[in-house]
Amino acid sequence: MAKKRNHYSGIGGQAVLEGIMMKNKEKYAVAVRKSDGKISIEQDNYHGLLDGNVIKKIPFIRGIFNFIDSLVLGMKCLNYSASMYEEEDEGNDKSNGKSGFGDKLMTTLVTCVSLAMAIGIFVVLPYFLASKLNGFVRNQSLIAIVEGAIRIVIFILYVCGISLMKDIRRLYRYHGAEHKCINCIERGRPLTVKNVMRSSRLHRRCGTSFIFFVLFVSIVLFFFIRVDNVAERVALRILLMPVVAGISYELIRLAGRTDNILVRIISAPGMAIQRLTTKEPDEQMAEVAIAAVEAVFDWKKYLQDHYGYREEELEEAEGSF
Protein backbone atom coordinates (compact mmCIF):
# COMPACT_ATOMS: atom_id res chain seq x y z
CA MET A 1 0.00 0.00 0.00
CA ALA A 2 1.23 3.51 -0.83
CA LYS A 3 2.53 5.77 1.89
CA LYS A 4 -0.36 7.64 3.53
CA ARG A 5 -0.60 11.39 3.01
CA ASN A 6 -3.48 13.76 2.51
CA HIS A 7 -4.93 14.12 -0.99
CA TYR A 8 -7.40 16.73 -2.16
CA SER A 9 -10.63 14.98 -3.16
CA GLY A 10 -12.61 17.85 -4.66
CA ILE A 11 -15.81 17.01 -2.78
CA GLY A 12 -17.54 19.45 -0.47
CA GLY A 13 -20.90 19.89 1.13
CA GLN A 14 -23.04 21.36 3.84
CA ALA A 15 -25.44 20.30 6.54
CA VAL A 16 -29.18 20.52 5.91
CA LEU A 17 -32.20 19.72 8.07
CA GLU A 18 -31.60 16.16 9.34
CA GLY A 19 -29.17 15.50 6.54
CA ILE A 20 -26.17 16.30 4.39
CA MET A 21 -25.61 17.71 0.93
CA MET A 22 -22.45 16.58 -0.86
CA LYS A 23 -21.19 17.99 -4.15
CA ASN A 24 -18.56 16.67 -6.55
CA LYS A 25 -18.03 18.81 -9.67
CA GLU A 26 -21.51 19.37 -11.12
CA LYS A 27 -23.11 16.43 -9.31
CA TYR A 28 -24.72 16.87 -5.92
CA ALA A 29 -26.83 14.72 -3.63
CA VAL A 30 -28.95 15.42 -0.59
CA ALA A 31 -29.28 12.61 1.94
CA VAL A 32 -31.92 13.10 4.64
CA ARG A 33 -32.90 10.86 7.56
CA LYS A 34 -36.68 10.62 7.38
CA SER A 35 -38.94 10.29 10.40
CA ASP A 36 -39.30 6.53 9.77
CA GLY A 37 -35.51 6.12 10.09
CA LYS A 38 -34.85 5.51 6.40
CA ILE A 39 -32.37 7.63 4.43
CA SER A 40 -33.82 9.44 1.44
CA ILE A 41 -31.30 10.37 -1.27
CA GLU A 42 -31.93 12.78 -4.13
CA GLN A 43 -29.33 13.38 -6.84
CA ASP A 44 -29.13 16.11 -9.45
CA ASN A 45 -26.66 18.28 -11.37
CA TYR A 46 -25.99 21.93 -10.64
CA HIS A 47 -24.06 23.93 -13.22
CA GLY A 48 -24.38 27.41 -11.77
CA LEU A 49 -23.68 30.81 -13.28
CA LEU A 50 -21.61 31.01 -16.47
CA ASP A 51 -21.23 27.23 -16.59
CA GLY A 52 -18.35 26.26 -18.87
CA ASN A 53 -17.30 29.89 -19.37
CA VAL A 54 -13.57 30.59 -19.23
CA ILE A 55 -14.27 33.42 -16.76
CA LYS A 56 -14.97 30.81 -14.06
CA LYS A 57 -11.37 29.61 -14.38
CA ILE A 58 -9.71 33.00 -13.84
CA PRO A 59 -8.16 33.29 -10.35
CA PHE A 60 -9.80 35.83 -8.01
CA ILE A 61 -12.75 36.20 -10.40
CA ARG A 62 -13.88 32.56 -10.21
CA GLY A 63 -14.35 32.88 -6.46
CA ILE A 64 -17.11 35.45 -6.89
CA PHE A 65 -19.20 33.12 -9.06
CA ASN A 66 -18.43 30.04 -6.96
CA PHE A 67 -19.53 31.93 -3.85
CA ILE A 68 -22.86 32.87 -5.45
CA ASP A 69 -23.34 29.31 -6.74
CA SER A 70 -22.71 27.86 -3.28
CA LEU A 71 -25.25 30.24 -1.74
CA VAL A 72 -27.95 29.39 -4.28
CA LEU A 73 -27.36 25.63 -4.15
CA GLY A 74 -27.11 25.65 -0.36
CA MET A 75 -30.41 27.47 0.00
CA LYS A 76 -32.05 25.12 -2.50
CA CYS A 77 -30.91 22.06 -0.55
CA LEU A 78 -32.00 23.53 2.77
CA ASN A 79 -35.45 24.25 1.34
CA TYR A 80 -35.64 20.73 -0.04
CA SER A 81 -34.79 19.09 3.27
CA ALA A 82 -37.33 21.29 5.07
CA SER A 83 -40.03 20.49 2.48
CA MET A 84 -39.59 16.75 3.08
CA TYR A 85 -40.67 17.12 6.69
CA GLU A 86 -43.50 19.48 5.80
CA GLU A 87 -44.87 16.95 3.34
CA GLU A 88 -44.48 14.09 5.82
CA ASP A 89 -46.48 16.11 8.34
CA GLU A 90 -49.21 16.47 5.75
CA GLY A 91 -49.15 12.76 4.96
CA ASN A 92 -47.82 13.25 1.44
CA ASP A 93 -44.71 12.05 -0.31
CA LYS A 94 -44.50 14.24 -3.35
CA SER A 95 -40.97 15.46 -2.95
CA ASN A 96 -38.72 14.45 -5.82
CA GLY A 97 -35.84 16.87 -5.43
CA LYS A 98 -36.87 18.93 -8.46
CA SER A 99 -37.75 22.58 -8.20
CA GLY A 100 -40.49 24.31 -10.13
CA PHE A 101 -40.35 27.94 -11.23
CA GLY A 102 -42.00 29.11 -8.01
CA ASP A 103 -39.49 27.23 -5.87
CA LYS A 104 -36.56 28.62 -7.86
CA LEU A 105 -37.92 32.15 -7.59
CA MET A 106 -38.42 31.79 -3.84
CA THR A 107 -34.90 30.36 -3.41
CA THR A 108 -33.46 33.28 -5.36
CA LEU A 109 -35.40 35.85 -3.33
CA VAL A 110 -34.44 34.27 0.00
CA THR A 111 -30.79 34.10 -1.09
CA CYS A 112 -30.80 37.78 -2.09
CA VAL A 113 -32.47 38.86 1.15
CA SER A 114 -30.06 36.73 3.21
CA LEU A 115 -27.07 38.21 1.38
CA ALA A 116 -28.38 41.75 1.91
CA MET A 117 -28.89 41.09 5.63
CA ALA A 118 -25.39 39.61 5.92
CA ILE A 119 -23.87 42.70 4.29
CA GLY A 120 -25.87 44.95 6.60
CA ILE A 121 -24.91 43.07 9.78
CA PHE A 122 -21.30 42.15 9.03
CA VAL A 123 -20.17 45.03 6.78
CA VAL A 124 -22.24 48.17 7.35
CA LEU A 125 -22.99 47.81 11.08
CA PRO A 126 -19.31 47.35 12.14
CA TYR A 127 -18.37 50.45 10.15
CA PHE A 128 -20.97 52.62 11.90
CA LEU A 129 -20.05 51.24 15.33
CA ALA A 130 -16.36 51.90 14.73
CA SER A 131 -17.11 55.40 13.37
CA LYS A 132 -18.44 56.34 16.82
CA LEU A 133 -14.78 56.48 17.89
CA ASN A 134 -13.98 59.34 15.51
CA GLY A 135 -14.47 61.87 18.27
CA PHE A 136 -11.97 60.08 20.51
CA VAL A 137 -9.47 58.50 18.11
CA ARG A 138 -7.84 60.52 15.32
CA ASN A 139 -5.88 57.64 13.80
CA GLN A 140 -8.03 56.28 10.96
CA SER A 141 -5.82 53.21 10.61
CA LEU A 142 -6.57 52.24 14.20
CA ILE A 143 -10.29 52.78 13.62
CA ALA A 144 -10.11 50.50 10.57
CA ILE A 145 -8.55 47.77 12.73
CA VAL A 146 -11.22 48.29 15.41
CA GLU A 147 -13.89 48.00 12.71
CA GLY A 148 -12.44 44.65 11.64
CA ALA A 149 -12.29 43.44 15.24
CA ILE A 150 -15.95 44.43 15.75
CA ARG A 151 -16.84 42.50 12.59
CA ILE A 152 -15.17 39.35 13.95
CA VAL A 153 -16.82 39.75 17.37
CA ILE A 154 -20.27 40.14 15.78
CA PHE A 155 -19.70 36.99 13.73
CA ILE A 156 -18.63 34.94 16.76
CA LEU A 157 -21.58 36.25 18.82
CA TYR A 158 -23.91 35.36 15.95
CA VAL A 159 -22.54 31.81 15.75
CA CYS A 160 -22.79 31.35 19.52
CA GLY A 161 -26.27 32.85 19.61
CA ILE A 162 -27.85 30.63 16.99
CA SER A 163 -26.17 27.57 18.55
CA LEU A 164 -28.60 27.97 21.47
CA MET A 165 -31.38 26.80 19.14
CA LYS A 166 -32.04 23.05 19.26
CA ASP A 167 -32.36 22.69 15.47
CA ILE A 168 -29.11 24.57 14.89
CA ARG A 169 -27.26 22.35 17.36
CA ARG A 170 -28.40 19.31 15.36
CA LEU A 171 -27.37 21.10 12.17
CA TYR A 172 -23.91 21.61 13.67
CA ARG A 173 -23.70 17.87 14.41
CA TYR A 174 -24.51 17.05 10.79
CA HIS A 175 -21.92 19.66 9.83
CA GLY A 176 -19.42 17.68 11.88
CA ALA A 177 -20.46 14.46 10.13
CA GLU A 178 -19.89 16.10 6.75
CA HIS A 179 -16.35 17.11 7.70
CA LYS A 180 -15.59 13.73 9.22
CA CYS A 181 -16.55 11.98 5.98
CA ILE A 182 -14.34 14.19 3.82
CA ASN A 183 -11.43 13.94 6.27
CA CYS A 184 -11.82 10.16 6.38
CA ILE A 185 -11.47 9.90 2.61
CA GLU A 186 -8.72 12.48 2.22
CA ARG A 187 -6.64 10.77 4.89
CA GLY A 188 -6.81 7.48 3.05
CA ARG A 189 -9.28 5.54 5.18
CA PRO A 190 -12.10 3.35 3.84
CA LEU A 191 -15.44 5.09 4.24
CA THR A 192 -16.98 3.15 7.10
CA VAL A 193 -18.92 4.44 10.09
CA LYS A 194 -16.09 3.51 12.45
CA ASN A 195 -13.47 5.35 10.37
CA VAL A 196 -15.72 8.37 9.93
CA MET A 197 -16.41 8.64 13.67
CA ARG A 198 -12.69 8.67 14.51
CA SER A 199 -11.88 11.34 11.91
CA SER A 200 -11.62 15.05 12.72
CA ARG A 201 -14.70 17.23 12.55
CA LEU A 202 -12.56 20.22 11.44
CA HIS A 203 -11.65 20.84 7.81
CA ARG A 204 -9.69 23.66 6.16
CA ARG A 205 -12.10 24.03 3.22
CA CYS A 206 -15.08 24.63 5.49
CA GLY A 207 -17.42 27.53 4.82
CA THR A 208 -16.72 28.77 8.34
CA SER A 209 -13.04 29.15 7.47
CA PHE A 210 -14.04 30.90 4.25
CA ILE A 211 -16.10 33.42 6.23
CA PHE A 212 -13.14 34.06 8.52
CA PHE A 213 -10.93 34.68 5.48
CA VAL A 214 -13.58 37.15 4.26
CA LEU A 215 -13.43 38.96 7.61
CA PHE A 216 -9.62 38.97 7.61
CA VAL A 217 -9.25 40.11 3.98
CA SER A 218 -11.82 42.86 4.56
CA ILE A 219 -9.73 44.20 7.45
CA VAL A 220 -6.65 44.40 5.23
CA LEU A 221 -8.49 45.81 2.23
CA PHE A 222 -10.59 48.38 4.10
CA PHE A 223 -7.47 49.47 5.98
CA PHE A 224 -6.28 51.22 2.81
CA ILE A 225 -9.59 52.91 1.93
CA ARG A 226 -9.20 56.63 2.48
CA VAL A 227 -12.26 58.65 1.45
CA ASP A 228 -13.85 61.41 3.49
CA ASN A 229 -17.48 61.04 2.51
CA VAL A 230 -19.40 58.64 4.76
CA ALA A 231 -21.72 57.44 1.99
CA GLU A 232 -18.74 56.74 -0.28
CA ARG A 233 -16.97 54.76 2.44
CA VAL A 234 -20.06 52.59 3.02
CA ALA A 235 -20.62 52.15 -0.72
CA LEU A 236 -17.00 51.15 -1.25
CA ARG A 237 -17.23 48.52 1.47
CA ILE A 238 -20.27 46.99 -0.19
CA LEU A 239 -18.91 47.24 -3.75
CA LEU A 240 -15.60 45.69 -2.72
CA MET A 241 -17.24 42.59 -1.19
CA PRO A 242 -16.95 40.65 -4.49
CA VAL A 243 -13.22 41.46 -4.47
CA VAL A 244 -13.00 40.26 -0.85
CA ALA A 245 -14.87 37.06 -1.76
CA GLY A 246 -12.57 36.46 -4.75
CA ILE A 247 -9.40 36.79 -2.66
CA SER A 248 -10.87 34.68 0.17
CA TYR A 249 -11.79 31.92 -2.28
CA GLU A 250 -8.18 31.67 -3.46
CA LEU A 251 -7.00 31.46 0.15
CA ILE A 252 -9.47 28.70 1.07
CA ARG A 253 -8.58 26.88 -2.14
CA LEU A 254 -4.89 27.09 -1.26
CA ALA A 255 -5.61 25.89 2.28
CA GLY A 256 -7.44 22.83 0.94
CA ARG A 257 -4.62 21.80 -1.40
CA THR A 258 -1.46 22.75 0.51
CA ASP A 259 -0.08 21.70 3.88
CA ASN A 260 2.85 23.96 4.73
CA ILE A 261 3.47 25.93 7.90
CA LEU A 262 2.18 29.23 6.45
CA VAL A 263 -1.11 27.66 5.36
CA ARG A 264 -1.52 26.05 8.78
CA ILE A 265 -0.99 29.43 10.46
CA ILE A 266 -3.50 31.36 8.35
CA SER A 267 -6.00 28.50 8.63
CA ALA A 268 -5.75 28.23 12.42
CA PRO A 269 -8.32 30.96 13.34
CA GLY A 270 -10.95 29.53 10.98
CA MET A 271 -10.31 26.04 12.30
CA ALA A 272 -10.74 27.35 15.84
CA ILE A 273 -14.12 28.92 14.98
CA GLN A 274 -15.18 25.59 13.48
CA ARG A 275 -15.20 24.23 17.02
CA LEU A 276 -18.30 26.41 17.44
CA THR A 277 -19.99 25.55 14.12
CA THR A 278 -19.39 21.78 14.24
CA LYS A 279 -20.31 19.28 16.93
CA GLU A 280 -19.68 15.57 17.32
CA PRO A 281 -22.28 13.54 15.37
CA ASP A 282 -23.69 10.14 16.26
CA GLU A 283 -23.32 7.04 14.09
CA GLN A 284 -26.68 7.54 12.42
CA MET A 285 -25.60 10.99 11.27
CA ALA A 286 -22.37 9.48 9.95
CA GLU A 287 -24.44 6.98 7.94
CA VAL A 288 -26.35 9.84 6.33
CA ALA A 289 -23.10 11.60 5.43
CA ILE A 290 -21.68 8.40 3.93
CA ALA A 291 -24.83 7.93 1.84
CA ALA A 292 -24.47 11.47 0.48
CA VAL A 293 -20.80 10.92 -0.41
CA GLU A 294 -21.43 7.60 -2.14
CA ALA A 295 -24.15 9.19 -4.29
CA VAL A 296 -21.65 11.56 -5.94
CA PHE A 297 -18.15 10.17 -5.37
CA ASP A 298 -16.42 6.84 -6.04
CA TRP A 299 -14.32 6.74 -2.89
CA LYS A 300 -13.06 3.22 -3.55
CA LYS A 301 -11.48 4.21 -6.85
CA TYR A 302 -10.11 7.34 -5.17
CA LEU A 303 -8.39 5.26 -2.46
CA GLN A 304 -7.08 2.83 -5.07
CA ASP A 305 -5.66 5.65 -7.20
CA HIS A 306 -4.16 7.79 -4.45
CA TYR A 307 -3.40 5.38 -1.61
CA GLY A 308 -2.70 2.10 -3.36
CA TYR A 309 -5.53 0.07 -1.85
CA ARG A 310 -6.45 -3.22 -3.48
CA GLU A 311 -10.10 -3.98 -4.19
CA GLU A 312 -10.15 -6.90 -1.79
CA GLU A 313 -8.81 -4.68 1.02
CA LEU A 314 -11.69 -2.24 0.53
CA GLU A 315 -14.24 -5.04 0.43
CA GLU A 316 -12.79 -6.46 3.64
CA ALA A 317 -12.88 -3.05 5.32
CA GLU A 318 -16.53 -2.55 4.33
CA GLY A 319 -17.50 -5.98 5.54
CA SER A 320 -15.86 -5.47 8.92
CA PHE A 321 -18.18 -2.65 10.05
Coordinates of all heavy atoms in Angstrom, one line a residue, residues 3 21 23-24 28 34 56 93 103 122 130 143 159 182 192 218 235 239 318-319:
K3 N 2.4 5.0 0.7 CA 2.5 5.8 1.9 C 1.4 6.7 2.1 O 1.0 7.4 1.1 CB 3.8 6.6 1.8 CG 4.1 7.3 3.1 CD 5.4 8.1 3.0 CE 5.7 8.9 4.3 NZ 7.0 9.6 4.2
M21 N -25.8 17.6 2.4 CA -25.6 17.7 0.9 C -24.1 17.6 0.6 O -23.3 18.2 1.3 CB -26.1 19.1 0.5 CG -26.0 19.3 -1.1 SD -24.4 19.9 -1.6 CE -24.4 21.6 -1.1
K23 N -21.3 17.6 -2.8 CA -21.2 18.0 -4.2 C -19.8 17.6 -4.7 O -18.8 17.8 -4.0 CB -21.4 19.5 -4.3 CG -21.4 20.0 -5.7 CD -21.8 21.5 -5.8 CE -21.9 22.0 -7.2 NZ -20.6 22.0 -7.9
N24 N -19.8 17.0 -5.9 CA -18.6 16.7 -6.6 C -18.7 17.1 -8.0 O -19.5 16.6 -8.8 CB -18.3 15.2 -6.5 CG -17.1 14.7 -7.2 OD1 -16.1 15.5 -7.3 ND2 -17.1 13.6 -7.8
Y28 N -24.5 16.7 -7.3 CA -24.7 16.9 -5.9 C -25.8 15.9 -5.5 O -26.7 15.5 -6.3 CB -25.1 18.3 -5.6 CG -26.5 18.8 -5.9 CD1 -27.5 18.7 -5.0 CD2 -26.8 19.3 -7.2 CE1 -28.8 19.1 -5.3 CE2 -28.0 19.7 -7.5 CZ -29.1 19.6 -6.5 OH -30.3 20.0 -6.8
K34 N -35.3 10.4 7.3 CA -36.7 10.6 7.4 C -37.2 10.2 8.8 O -36.5 9.5 9.5 CB -37.4 9.9 6.3 CG -37.0 10.3 4.9 CD -37.7 9.4 3.8 CE -39.1 9.7 3.7 NZ -39.7 9.0 2.6
K56 N -14.9 31.5 -15.3 CA -15.0 30.8 -14.1 C -13.7 30.1 -13.7 O -13.6 29.4 -12.7 CB -16.1 29.8 -14.1 CG -17.5 30.5 -14.1 CD -18.6 29.5 -13.8 CE -18.7 29.2 -12.3 NZ -19.9 28.4 -12.0
D93 N -46.1 12.4 0.0 CA -44.7 12.0 -0.3 C -44.5 12.5 -1.7 O -44.2 11.7 -2.6 CB -44.5 10.5 -0.1 CG -43.0 10.2 -0.3 OD1 -42.2 11.1 -0.1 OD2 -42.7 9.0 -0.6
D103 N -40.5 27.6 -6.9 CA -39.5 27.2 -5.9 C -38.2 27.9 -6.2 O -37.5 28.4 -5.3 CB -39.3 25.7 -5.8 CG -40.5 25.0 -5.3 OD1 -41.2 25.6 -4.5 OD2 -40.7 23.8 -5.7
F122 N -22.7 42.4 8.9 CA -21.3 42.2 9.0 C -20.4 43.2 8.3 O -19.2 43.1 8.5 CB -21.0 40.7 8.5 CG -21.7 39.7 9.3 CD1 -22.7 38.9 8.7 CD2 -21.4 39.4 10.6 CE1 -23.3 37.9 9.4 CE2 -22.0 38.5 11.3 CZ -23.0 37.7 10.7
A130 N -17.7 51.4 14.6 CA -16.4 51.9 14.7 C -16.3 53.4 14.5 O -15.4 54.1 15.1 CB -15.5 51.2 13.7
I143 N -8.8 53.0 13.7 CA -10.3 52.8 13.6 C -10.6 51.7 12.6 O -11.6 50.9 12.9 CB -11.0 54.1 13.2 CG1 -10.9 55.1 14.3 CG2 -12.4 53.9 12.8 CD1 -11.5 56.5 14.0
V159 N -22.7 33.3 15.7 CA -22.5 31.8 15.7 C -22.9 31.2 17.1 O -23.7 30.2 17.2 CB -21.1 31.4 15.4 CG1 -20.8 29.9 15.7 CG2 -20.8 31.7 13.9
I182 N -15.4 13.7 4.8 CA -14.3 14.2 3.8 C -12.9 13.9 4.4 O -12.0 13.5 3.6 CB -14.6 15.7 3.5 CG1 -15.9 15.9 2.9 CG2 -13.5 16.2 2.6 CD1 -16.3 17.3 2.6
T192 N -16.1 3.9 6.2 CA -17.0 3.1 7.1 C -17.4 4.0 8.3 O -16.7 5.0 8.6 CB -16.3 1.9 7.6 OG1 -15.1 2.3 8.5 CG2 -15.7 1.0 6.5
S218 N -11.1 41.6 4.5 CA -11.8 42.9 4.6 C -11.1 43.8 5.5 O -11.0 45.0 5.2 CB -13.3 42.7 5.0 OG -13.3 42.3 6.4
A235 N -20.4 52.7 0.6 CA -20.6 52.1 -0.7 C -19.4 51.3 -1.2 O -19.6 50.3 -1.7 CB -20.9 53.3 -1.7
L239 N -19.3 47.5 -2.4 CA -18.9 47.2 -3.7 C -17.6 46.4 -3.8 O -17.4 45.6 -4.7 CB -18.7 48.6 -4.5 CG -19.9 49.4 -4.8 CD1 -19.5 50.7 -5.4 CD2 -20.9 48.7 -5.7
E318 N -15.1 -2.8 4.3 CA -16.5 -2.5 4.3 C -17.3 -3.6 5.1 O -18.2 -3.4 5.8 CB -17.1 -2.5 2.9 CG -17.0 -1.1 2.3 CD -17.9 -1.0 1.1 OE1 -17.7 -1.8 0.1 OE2 -18.8 -0.1 1.1
G319 N -16.8 -4.9 4.9 CA -17.5 -6.0 5.5 C -17.2 -6.1 7.0 O -17.9 -6.8 7.8

